[in-house]
């Protein structure tokens, strides 16, 4: 059974159309073609170039299936990681530092 052909994305349509229009105008201006066969060749070349550009636009990555996707738990249900506080070991040589209580 054949798979259905995917629809073109907005990026593919816009890049392809812009390429066809810009390349047609550029080739017509550069070649100064005035005969109908020359204009037809330029138009066909521009269509081919636009198709090539549209096909080379990267496709978006498919969405993962919701049943198999791992979703993180909401913030209120997450347990914070246990942290170890490393405090300096008091030495017996020094007396504790006492600061004045206020002015």
């Amino acid at each position: 059974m054949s798979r259905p052909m995917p629809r073109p994305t907005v990026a593919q349509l816009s890049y392809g159309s812009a390429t066809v229009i810009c390349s047609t105008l550029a080739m017509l201006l550069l070649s100064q073609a005035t005969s109908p066969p020359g204009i037809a060749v330029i138009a066909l070349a521009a269509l081919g170039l636009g198709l090539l550009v549209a096909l080379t636009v990267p496709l978006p990555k498919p969405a993962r299936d919701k049943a198999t996707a791992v979703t993180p738990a909401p913030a209120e249900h997450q347990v914070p990681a246990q942290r170890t506080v490393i405090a300096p070991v008091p030495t017996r040589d020094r007396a504790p530092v006492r600061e004045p209580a206020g002015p």
Side-chain angles (χ1 to χ4, degrees):
M1 188 172 197
S2 65
R3 292 176 23 189
M5 190 170 167
R7 293 185 179 194
T9 64
V10 175
Q12 287 176 316
L13 291 173
S14 59
Y15 283 137
S17 300
T19 302
V20 169
I21 292 168
C22 292
S23 60
T24 302
L25 290 175
M27 286 189 279
L28 284 173
L29 289 173
L30 290 174
S31 69
Q32 297 178 352
T34 55
S35 66
I39 295 172
V41 168
I42 289 174
L44 287 174
L47 284 173
L49 187 62
L51 183 63
L52 178 71
V53 168
L55 291 177
T56 56
V57 171
L59 295 175
K61 294 181 181 179
R64 296 188 335 183
D65 186 18
K66 289 184 179 180
T68 61
V70 177
T71 57
E76 63 263 11
H77 296 296
Q78 289 182 350
V79 178
Q82 183 177 359
R83 297 184 182 165
T84 305
V85 178
I86 301 174
V89 178
T91 59
R92 297 181 189 250
D93 302 2
R94 296 188 228 167
V97 177
R98 297 181 184 250
E99 296 189 20

